[in-house]
Amino acid sequence: MLTAGVEPLLGQVAAAVSEAISRVRPELADADPVVRRSDHADFQSNAALALAKRMAMPPKRLGAEFAARLDSAGGVIADVRVSGPGFLNVTLSDRAVWEAVAARLADDRLGVPVTERGHRVVIDYSGPNVAKEMHVGHLRTTIIGDSLARVFGFLGADVVRANHLGDWGTQFGMLIQYIDEHPESPWHTEELDSGTSSVSALDGLYKAARAEFDADPAFADRARTRVVALQSGDPATLARWGEIVAESERAFGAIYDRLGVLLTPDDYLGESFYNDLLADTVAELVDKGVAVDSDGAIVVPSERVTGPGGQPVVLMARKRDGGYGYDSTDLATIRHRLATLRADRLLYVTDSRQSLHFHLVFEAARRAGWLTDAVQADHVAYGTILGPDGTPFKTRSGGTVRLMDLLDEAVTRVRAVVAEKNPTLTPAELDAIAEQAGVGAVKYADLSTSRVKDYTFDPTRMTALTGDTGVYLQYAHARVRSILRKADTVTPPPIDTAAPLDPAERALALTLDDYGTVLTEVTHSLEPHRLAGYLYTLARAYTTFYDTCPVLTAPDPTRSNRIALCQLTARTLESGLGQLGIAAPQRM
Ligand code: ARG
């Protein structure tokens, strides 16, 4: 394994251009060489245009000076031309491109460096609420968070997957009281063997409890007493609470298994975990002057955000009745992650409606001295999943869409699509592929959309065989694997680096070379759709290559070189889909 990775060709060109710039003008040694891929050559540098003004020189002349001082970077660069207003068009030697393919193929990490080693990244994602079913609102946090956990993990970070379950709060007093008062309820009577069905029962009980709480003041009082019992650790109440949590966790586990996300019970770090830290956290905030008394409550007023009346917006650190809520828990949570877990980076993946909340939590943590400039904290916000009518996705009767139902729908749809495409599959094969492709289609549709945007849940579109879909990418991967099976060759095959490169081979090889750069990009932008977009580009580059360059029938060394490109494509697609948490079946 090469922990340092294979230096991307783009990076090699950028370094060579930087060197040329500093040869021409030593004072510009730190200037950005502005190198990117280009349609006119392999790479293009816009440095002369960017720097011309500073140098009081026409960009074309400056570009010509850079070009004249650009060396071949050890034979990597074959040609440079100044074009248009002063672009440098850089063409690589064929040998350098083949060498990059060979180096990536020889490495089990595809030459991707371990850039995040030594960084502890806490990723807060999924966070469903106990006694409620996971619904469409938990889909995005679960799969975006999981993809980020995979990318950071692949790049060597020490990832802490923090599943901030909503497993604590006054609502549990109400629910427990209701369950105890209703011995006829399904909680007591039904065979609760499948986690999912018992949680639907709980979900119903929760709604019934809420209705009774609102309608019957006497019940509301008994429920409040039960909250006190729970908080003071009454054994019978705690035991019931523990049963409810355990049932819910089983149901969450069933969804996580089906979604193929990394979350396990070891990652369940729910709100209850922070219960013992709340009083101390609030005391510290008061001590430091960050939290103040307000009518008997303790609040953290923002120094930056004001509400409609000009009043500061506050976080509720402790309620007037002495109780703690969502805000209190997040204050204790961020303190724990920074002071105890010693995180280098914090990510919170929730929908964009919680932006203000996290903005305030980060501000409070900064003022308390917990969050320093050495640590980056991000709210990884995302948009809403819409239904066919363009409003937030609901069932036909207006209810919340259960995550399991949504996955079932996609799997059913994709089963039909795959069966039509490949009628020779046995029903068992078809079931297995449909499950992987259906779940993959749902995940890909989400991860390929710009994170902050809303998108429409459209099972027909997301399971299409063509276009930017998970199914298309899985097919692309399976097709390459099928060619490799027919080629029946060693891994990796020998590459003749002296062979000339066909344009489609070249485009494919240069795209393959970008993989690690795109992953790094995802750790900066926290946008998995950039990886999705890259994989789609790669699949299309492969299609063009395959349409124009015969593989199996070509004479050697062309055949062997092309098989090498096929192998690297298959492995890059599989790895890339893997970072999105999407399976890459060998056959479809
Ligand atoms: N349980 C919350 C919800 O369903 C999400 C928790 C997000 N994480 C956090 N640290 N607040 O909205």
Side-chain angles (χ1 to χ4, degrees), residues 125 142 219 234 294 347 528:
Y125 70 103
T142 305
F219 174 73
D234 167 58
S294 162
L347 309 182

Side-chain angles (χ1 to χ4, degrees), residues 23 27-28 117 334:
R23 279 190 197 125
E27 69 273 27
L28 293 181
R117 172 146 306 163
I334 195 166

Side-chain angles (χ1 to χ4, degrees), residues 124 126-129 138 164-166 271 326 330 333 337 348-350 354 357-358:
D124 183 316
S126 198
N129 299 315
H138 295 110
H164 197 78
L165 300 175
E271 296 182 24
Y326 190 65
D330 262 323
T333 303
R337 289 178 185 168
Y348 290 81
V349 189
T350 81
Q354 293 199 44
H357 171 76
F358 287 110

